[in-house]
Amino acid sequence: MKLLNYIKGDTRGNSSREIEKRSLTDPFLSDAIDGYEFWAGNGAEHIRNIAELERDIYRRRLVPGRQWALFVLIAVMLLILCTAIIIYFSMLR
């Protein structure tokens, strides 16, 4: 689902209906569409701003450093958990 394509009027048929159907249940999407319709007089500048926001969201979602840190944290926690389990069961003997 590409909201920017819908806003530009590039979507037809099923894609357009899917966005409209989702906007009925998603208040954020509905507000985004309403906001665009309200500010539609800005034309290409408004579409450029939306494209910039979309790029920013995509960049923040795929930050490799944060994914690596999460992986390391999970690995360390598993290592500590496994070590604790081994020590616990070795003390039972």
Side-chain angles (χ1 to χ4, degrees), residues 7-48:
I7 288 171
K8 287 185 207 176
D10 293 342
T11 58
R12 300 278 187 263
N14 289 337
S15 297
S16 182
R17 279 192 294 271
E18 180 184 341
I19 291 173
E20 291 167 357
K21 192 166 96 175
R22 285 189 184 190
S23 72
L24 294 174
T25 59
D26 185 353
F28 182 76
L29 179 60
S30 177
D31 285 346
I33 293 171
D34 290 344
Y36 173 75
E37 289 171 353
F38 180 76
W39 292 103
N42 292 340
E45 180 182 339
H46 190 66
I47 291 174
R48 236 180 296 122

Side-chain angles (χ1 to χ4, degrees), residues 1 4-5 7 10 15 18 21 24 27 29 38 42 46 52 54-56 60 63 71 79 83 91-92:
M1 177 178 81
L4 190 56
N5 291 339
I7 288 171
D10 293 342
S15 297
E18 180 184 341
K21 192 166 96 175
L24 294 174
L29 179 60
F38 180 76
N42 292 340
H46 190 66
E52 282 181 34
E54 190 176 65
R55 281 192 302 272
D56 288 346
R60 288 181 186 168
V63 177
F71 174 74
L79 182 64
T83 305
M91 293 181 129
L92 288 179

